[in-house]
Amino acid sequence: MKLKHILPIFLMLSGLLACTPENTPGSHSDPEMDSFIAELMGKMTLEEKIGQINLVSVGFDVTGPRVSEDVEEKIVNGQVGAVFNTYTPVAVRKLQELAISKSRLGIPLLFAFDVVHGHRTIFPVPLGLAASWDMELIEKSARIAAEEASAEGLNWTFSPMVDITRDPRWGRICEGSGEDAWYGSRVAEAMVRGYQGEDLAAQNTVMACIKHFALYGGAMSGRDYSTVDMSLLKMTEDYMPPYKAAVEAGAGSVMTSFNDINGVPATANRWLLTELLREQWGFEGFVVTDYTAVEELIPFGVAKDVRDAARLSLEAGVDMDMVSEIMVDHIGVLIEEQIVDPQLVDEACRRVLEAKYKLGLFEDPYRYADEQRGRDIPLSKDYRNAAMEIATRSMVLLKNENEILPLKREGSIALIGPLASSRRDVIGNWSGGGRAADAVSVEEGMRKLLGKDVVIHTAKGANITNDTLLLYKLNAHGGRLDYLDPAKLLKEALRAARKSDVILAVVGESQGMSGESASRSHIGIPQSQLDLLKALKKTGKPLVIVLMNGRPLTLEWENEHADAILETWFAGTEAGNAIARVLYGESNPSGKLTATFPRNIGQIPIFYNHKNIGRPYGGDMLDKFKSQYLDVSNEPLFPFGFGLSYTTFSYGELQLSSTELGKSGSLSISVEVSNTGSYTGEEVVQLYVQDLVASVTRPVKELKAYQKISLSPGEARELTFTLSPDDLRFYNTQLEYISEPGAFKVYVGTNSRDVQEAGFELVW
Ligand code: NOJ
């Protein structure tokens, strides 16, 4: 008989079947679950309830400033509800057994991990995944991640990260989908669907966690953990939608962010966690803090001590304390002293137990600790194939002069750069259970694809950076970067370059240069590598740059001097194979940027959907009193939605079904897109709108739809988009989501800059 069935009988026999009013679950729940949890909570002591809201970190991965102690003893004492940073069926079973057979009530534990872009099979970092504009593949990557993670004992992932950001200095831009709230919402939904599937209790699904709630990507100066200050209008329109979309997609949990919002840290922000998230959006899962965020209310200066911090976060709507252990240590006393309402603990505990119930853990606490699955599932051939397909489709071709790409399978190449032979860097940061040993470097991918067809001369050419302080920091944070004599490295590189037909320079950031606590104030390729590129350019050989990085970079020199630039992000386990295939034309790149690449750091924040203003720049640099710089244009280097292909596409004129759109009507926008080049290729056809006159200032363009299509050479296809008045709604100053009649423009094109346009009127 399963625990789920035994437990109520045990409780009934012991006369402890109680459903006190404070336990009464909300009407949303399923009655069987409600009565099961009410019965269980009726049996629990206050300490045991508080134990359920305690999340400890144990194991081989350290993802914050501190690790938890005496975990096994705490599990036995019923002081732990969930564990993270450990996995494998054996490790999970061991701790789960302690909870089931040694703790008084045998309540199963949740097991969490940062499965962010794959678990054992690693996919491109999320910014790369987003660049695929392929929701089916993005969902598939999360599905595979869930299959692998659940086979290794996990039932909860701290993903998706849905923070919108417009600041590439912020290292965590690589963990999200970029700058656009509408697009980010689509990605958020796909990820939640992928992780949670149809049935959270299935053996191959894991619970998602929406993070970081909220506005973490708005960190001032792009510096991680710094303050966020923005208007309600801006946050509602430009930052909140992906969190809301992920809630609506049914994500089971939400993680608070490290920043403050309107002066109140997210972890103590009742408006955010209770009024907005629960009352307005109807979120029914549980809220976990980020790492030690309860404790951090003290340095924030909003809590005077740990007791205050515990009270503030519980009262705000936090249901689980990650690593601080402040709740478990202090809430009981605060309740005894009648400072904290015990009902709050009941609610938090109930929400955590509901998640466990939905995951099927009361039926079978070992459901996710199946050793056979642990052996069979991870890194299967199918998953690696999927990783390769997704990686190829995430790459963005930024430049391709004289069609130098795809390369010909003949002659010789110089494969140069500190990232050319790296297996560790290609899997990126937050690479979960991924192992460098399983990954394919660019050099390996090239050799495998090319065999004896092409002679490959390799050289490292430069250190990732010659900045010794930066190197020291990166290594202190777990990197393995060495420092070799730059002059010697350069000499070897030039020798390799001179005897080759083409130079392939694999340069950019090491994986530790983006991600958490990896903000940069200069976002170019580090100087050591730029010097290398400049020296290589002087050889006169064609120069192809293969970029690896987790953020938009400033690439003015590179764009001016390289013959081609391929953005590969950190492309995952199959990176090397995927990059080789793209370079040699086995796959035609089709990725498009979802974050603007600035010309220089002074342009930041720079994003496509900026507002109309009173003195817009009209293209005349000498028109003094216009919004522009003296020393750089307003244009980014590569706009949102940008990406080339080996083929070319042409767009016909836009055809609108009408010049008017009625209140309950719809408007069709058609355009013919043709492949005018000589390769089969995919194009992401993007549709933007602009509200020309409204009661509040509106963006110059807003993405509202896109279609990704494949066309063979000479093929043309008519595409139709449909707009309804709903697509034209916006938030007014009262934060009401409204429509206003009036003139609009619609734009369709290959990126947010190069578009065809037409006008129409919203009428009623
Ligand atoms: C801190 C990070 O901000 C968060 O994204 C992550 O999930 C937790 N650490 C747990 O590792």
Side-chain angles (χ1 to χ4, degrees), residues 377-397:
I377 291 199
L379 271 176
S380 73
K381 202 162 181 292
D382 283 354
Y383 294 169
R384 291 192 78 124
N385 286 342
M388 177 151 82
E389 191 194 350
I390 297 174
T392 56
R393 293 163 70 98
S394 73
M395 288 172 203
V396 184
L397 184 63

Side-chain angles (χ1 to χ4, degrees), residues 494-526:
L494 290 175
R495 200 178 311 131
R498 285 194 190 105
K499 55 184 178 191
S500 306
D501 303 327
V502 181
I503 301 167
L504 268 185
V506 188
V507 292
E509 300 181 312
S510 71
Q511 56 83 24
M513 288 173 73
S514 54
E516 187 176 352
S517 198
S519 298
R520 296 178 65 202
S521 70
H522 290 284
I523 56 165
I525 292 177

Side-chain angles (χ1 to χ4, degrees), residues 201-269:
Q203 207 187 13
N204 62 352
T205 55
V206 295
M207 180 171 59
C209 184
I210 307 162
K211 70 186 191 187
H212 306 82
F213 195 58
L215 320 182
Y216 188 30
M220 192 177 288
S221 316
R223 212 176 55 239
D224 211 359
Y225 319 126
S226 92
T227 201
V228 171
D229 197 0
M230 67 172 80
S231 71
L232 271 171
L233 191 60
K234 179 166 164 176
M235 67 174 83
T236 308
E237 187 152 78
D238 297 332
Y239 287 75
M240 290 297 187
Y243 305 110
K244 186 161 183 271
V247 166
E248 282 164 7
S253 64
V254 165
M255 186 186 293
T256 64
S257 55
F258 283 127
N259 52 283
D260 62 335
I261 293 165
N262 246 337
V264 183
T267 303
N269 198 317

Side-chain angles (χ1 to χ4, degrees), residues 63 84 114 158 172 175 211-212 216 255 258 290-291 322 430 516:
T63 56
F84 76 112
D114 288 282
F158 297 144
R172 305 200 76 169
E175 296 175 51
K211 70 186 191 187
H212 306 82
Y216 188 30
M255 186 186 293
F258 283 127
D290 203 345
Y291 217 103
M322 186 193 288
W430 290 118
E516 187 176 352

Side-chain angles (χ1 to χ4, degrees), residues 57-63 67 84-88 91 113 119 152 154 432-433 435:
S57 166
V58 59
F60 34 77
D61 213 346
V62 180
T63 56
V67 284
F84 76 112
N85 277 345
T86 198
Y87 61 87
T88 75
F113 197 52
H119 178 59
E152 293 220 292
L154 298 165
R435 297 174 192 164

